[in-house]
């Protein structure tokens, strides 16, 4: 989908046609210039002067799948009762851009004609009131439209809004059920579909096996060439790699046939399969599909959404596995049995085969092995609190692993957590965070906060300033507030 955003400017007839022509020309100029710096086109749609114009453009936006959101601005004063009907029916993400055309006050030119034309300072306050009165989810960005920092914030909001569009049309394919007796991977699929739009359904592993058996050698040969072009082959067990290729081709056929962009499976349900998909799942994730292990459909969906939101698609399924608790050098080691996306690899990944003792594996699965790259990142967990959804986000700093770990046969990422490893763990557990997460190098905490606001779900952020005591208090108040909604 090629997304765009609509620029809707507020005014009124009071100022005469000359002023309205100037407003329209400037809005068109601003949209065109901003589009050069933003990740998606900003299309000037209308200088709205009546209730009907506003309601009509909102209605049009609601039914245009390519429109990912609207950005409003009031060049002049725009009486906000005109906006009520349109805002009441708005179904797209909404950003209020509080800016003005001129950067500075022109000392010699300013007169009452200038003041009548350039009224954003109080026009945007009137505009902001009605959104507050209607209790609308919105993003407010203030600053001059030519400032790089302002444009960066608009770009981030746009990517979060695209995440909303992806979410509302997302389909998740579950191969089998969740890992037995695990609580956090469960959830209310009906509530999630009503709130987030996800369609989460199950396909039998036996159906996947049928499609696998129909994959041709020519199809496998073609995918093997792709593997060789992107990864180093570090095993003599070529048959294991070819089997993973067969799994990948079959899963992709089923996903694409159903329009699914995320999938989950579990090592406890591999009936008819020789190996748990390792390399197969990793390479699918590298192509933008979301994945969740042990039947974790929530993290699978969030991985797909965050891949779509990010500039480089570097968001991946992750699990906190073990800690390094040496005083002054505390780290978390993230990994999984097999399925870590190579988008985060610091170097060229290797295809290896090793024994996997967990699950129904008849033969040793092939998988990609690598170290994750350094950089600031976040980890995100979506949990079902019973009656509402909560998204927990923690700031982390990924580092080059401090140990080579030559006998660890899986991809791995090592990081330092904010505010510290131990306090971060206490905060994460206090908030109910899962052991599965989405780790992202290019989606920010602000974007995830924006996404939660648009989806109207709870957002919890663990930062360098978070304390357990403050978080407990915030969660207590949040719990009360959400029960009143």
């Amino acid at each position: 989908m090629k997304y765009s955003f609509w620029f809707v400017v507020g005014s009124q007839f009071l100022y005469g046609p000359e002023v309205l022509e100037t407003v329209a020309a400037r809005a068109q100029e601003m949209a065109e210039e901003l589009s050069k710096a933003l990740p998606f086109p900003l299309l000037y749609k209308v200088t709205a002067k009546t209730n009907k114009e506003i309601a009509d453009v909102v209605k049009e936006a609601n039914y245009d799948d390519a429109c990912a959101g609207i950005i409003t601005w009031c060049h002049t004063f725009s009486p906000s009762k005109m906006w009520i009907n349109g805002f009441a029916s708005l179904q797209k993400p909404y950003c209020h851009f509080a800016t003005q055309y001129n950067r500075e006050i022109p000392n010699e030119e300013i007169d009452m004609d200038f003041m009548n034309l350039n009224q954003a300072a109080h026009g945007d306050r009137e505009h902001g009131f009605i959104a507050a009165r209607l209790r609308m989810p919105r993003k407010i960005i203030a600053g001059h439209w030519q400032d790089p920092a302002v444009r960066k914030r608009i770009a981030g909001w746009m990517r979060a809004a695209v995440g909303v569009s992806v979410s509302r049309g997302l389909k998740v394919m579950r191969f089998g059920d969740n890992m037995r007796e695990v609580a956090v991977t469960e959830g209310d699929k009906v509530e999630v579909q009503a709130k987030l739009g996800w369609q989460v359904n199950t396909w039998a592993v036996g159906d996947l096996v049928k499609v696998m058996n129909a994959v041709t050698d020519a199809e496998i040969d073609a995918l093997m060439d792709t593997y060789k072009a992107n990864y180093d082959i570090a095993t003599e067990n070529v048959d294991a790699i070819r089997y993973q290729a067969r799994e990948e081709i079959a899963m992709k056929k089923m996903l694409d046939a159903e329009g699914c962009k995320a999938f989950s499976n579990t090592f406890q349900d591999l009936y008819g399969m020789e190996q748990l998909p390792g390399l197969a799942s990793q390479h699918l994730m590298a192509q933008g599909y979301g994945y969740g292990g042990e039947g974790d459909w929530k993290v699978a969906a969030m991985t797909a959404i965050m891949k779509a939101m990010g500039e480089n698609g570097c968001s991946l399924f992750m699990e906190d596995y073990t800690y390094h608790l040496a005083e002054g050098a505390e780290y978390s080691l993230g990994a999984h049995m097999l399925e870590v996306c190579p988008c985060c690899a610091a170097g060229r990944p290797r295809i290896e085969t090793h024994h996997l003792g967990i699950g129904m594996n008849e033969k040793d699965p092939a998988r990609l092995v690598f170290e994750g790259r350094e950089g600031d990142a976040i980890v995100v967990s979506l949990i079902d609190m019973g009656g509402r959804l909560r998204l927990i986000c923690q700031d982390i700093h990924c580092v080059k692993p401090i140990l080579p770990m030559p006998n660890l046969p899986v991809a791995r990422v090592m990081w330092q957590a904010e505010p510290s490893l131990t306090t971060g763990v206490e905060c994460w557990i206090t908030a109910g965070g899962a052991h599965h997460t989405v780790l992202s190098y290019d989606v920010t905490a602000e974007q995830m906060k924006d996404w939660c606001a648009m989806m109207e779900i709870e957002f919890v952020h663990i930062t360098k300033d978070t304390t357990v005591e403050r978080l407990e208090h915030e969660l207590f108040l949040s719990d009360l507030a959400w029960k009143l909604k």
Side-chain angles (χ1 to χ4, degrees), residues 340-352:
V340 176
C341 178
C343 64
C344 72
R348 187 175 167 92
R350 306 179 307 279
I351 299 179
E352 301 180 6

Side-chain angles (χ1 to χ4, degrees), residues 306-322:
M306 293 175 68
K307 279 182 174 291
M309 286 171 57
E311 186 174 355
N312 302 306
C314 194
S315 298
L316 53 141
F317 169 63
M318 184 50 62
E319 180 172 82
D320 291 77
Y321 239 92
T322 192

Side-chain angles (χ1 to χ4, degrees), residues 248-458:
E248 178 185 337
I249 292 165
M251 287 191 292
K252 189 174 189 305
K253 285 182 176 180
M254 291 183 67
L255 289 165
D256 292 350
E258 297 293 338
C260 297
K261 289 298 294 181
F263 68 102
S264 65
N265 57 24
T266 174
F267 59 84
Q268 290 177 328
D269 190 353
L270 300 176
Y271 190 79
M273 302 170 68
E274 295 178 0
Q275 303 174 18
L276 176 67
L279 170 61
S281 295
Q282 290 173 296
H283 194 243
L284 282 170
M285 282 187 277
Q287 298 169 63
Y289 294 91
Y291 172 78
E294 287 98 61
D296 194 340
W297 49 270
K298 294 193 295 298
V299 79
M302 288 307 305
T303 303
I305 291 166
M306 293 175 68
K307 279 182 174 291
M309 286 171 57
E311 186 174 355
N312 302 306
C314 194
S315 298
L316 53 141
F317 169 63
M318 184 50 62
E319 180 172 82
D320 291 77
Y321 239 92
T322 192
Y323 302 130
H324 189 78
L325 291 172
E327 186 174 356
E330 294 91 357
Y331 299 93
S332 184
L333 179 65
H336 205 253
M337 291 182 295
L338 303 174
E339 314 95 346
V340 176
C341 178
C343 64
C344 72
R348 187 175 167 92
R350 306 179 307 279
I351 299 179
E352 301 180 6
T353 54
H354 299 277
H355 177 66
L356 180 62
I358 296 176
M360 300 169 63
N361 296 280
E362 297 177 9
K363 298 182 179 179
D364 298 342
R367 81 292 304 271
L368 295 173
V369 179
F370 55 85
E371 289 184 352
R373 60 181 171 87
E374 301 175 68
D376 292 339
I378 58 173
V379 284
V380 166
S381 171
L382 180 72
I383 60 172
D384 188 331
M385 291 295 293
R388 76 177 191 275
L389 298 168
R390 169 183 289 170
L391 188 135
I392 305 157
C393 176
Q394 183 177 28
D395 298 334
I396 64 171
H397 310 282
C398 297
V399 301
K400 177 178 172 56
I402 61 172
L403 302 168
M405 297 172 281
N407 295 316
L408 183 62
V410 293
R412 74 294 304 262
V413 182
M414 184 170 278
W415 64 82
Q416 295 173 309
E418 294 287 8
S420 68
L421 177 62
T422 52
T423 301
V425 168
E426 291 175 10
C427 290
W428 188 268
I429 293 173
T430 297
H435 58 287
H436 291 163
T437 61
V438 183
L439 187 154
S440 182
Y441 288 85
D442 63 348
V443 176
T444 66
E446 183 179 7
Q447 286 174 296
M448 294 314 303
K449 181 181 178 182
D450 290 344
W451 184 83
C452 288
M454 296 176 208
M455 305 307 295
E456 299 186 75
I457 66 172
E458 183 183 5

Side-chain angles (χ1 to χ4, degrees), residues 6 45-46 48 50-63 82 85-86 89:
W6 291 8
K45 296 299 290 185
V46 66
T50 67
N51 186 306
K52 185 176 186 306
E53 282 183 310
I54 296 164
D56 285 348
V57 75
V58 167
K59 187 185 300 182
E60 185 182 354
N62 285 342
Y63 287 94
M82 296 190 305
N85 293 59
S89 64

Side-chain angles (χ1 to χ4, degrees), residues 119-256:
Q119 299 188 56
H122 67 285
D124 278 320
R125 282 168 167 76
E126 165 75 1
H127 188 65
F129 161 73
I130 201 62
R133 174 66 177 78
L134 296 172
R135 292 162 175 78
M136 294 177 62
R138 56 182 167 155
K139 178 74 169 181
I140 303 169
I141 297 176
H144 194 257
W145 61 280
Q146 292 177 322
D147 285 348
V150 170
R151 293 179 172 188
K152 184 177 180 180
R153 292 189 69 203
I154 296 172
W157 174 82
M158 282 182 162
R159 293 191 179 280
V162 165
V164 171
S165 183
V166 171
S167 179
R168 288 174 174 167
L170 186 64
K171 295 182 178 180
V172 182
M173 180 173 288
R174 301 171 67 225
F175 293 110
D177 203 350
N178 297 22
M179 180 178 171
R180 290 187 285 272
E181 302 295 349
V182 177
V184 78
T185 56
E186 295 287 353
D188 186 340
K189 301 182 188 70
V190 173
E191 178 65 19
V192 165
Q193 185 165 348
K195 198 72 179 174
L196 306 181
W198 305 352
Q199 300 174 54
V200 183
N201 290 293
T202 302
W203 276 257
V205 174
D207 291 335
L208 173 59
V209 172
K210 289 179 183 178
V211 180
M212 286 172 53
N213 291 338
V215 173
T216 67
D217 286 340
E219 290 175 302
I220 295 174
D221 291 341
L223 186 52
M224 288 290 290
D225 290 339
T226 300
Y227 289 163
K228 292 173 185 177
N230 291 281
Y231 314 124
D232 291 336
I233 308 297
T235 177
E236 296 180 357
N237 190 352
V238 176
D239 287 343
I241 304 175
R242 291 182 67 86
Y243 191 82
Q244 290 287 324
R246 181 181 295 277
E247 290 178 322
E248 178 185 337
I249 292 165
M251 287 191 292
K252 189 174 189 305
K253 285 182 176 180
M254 291 183 67
L255 289 165
D256 292 350

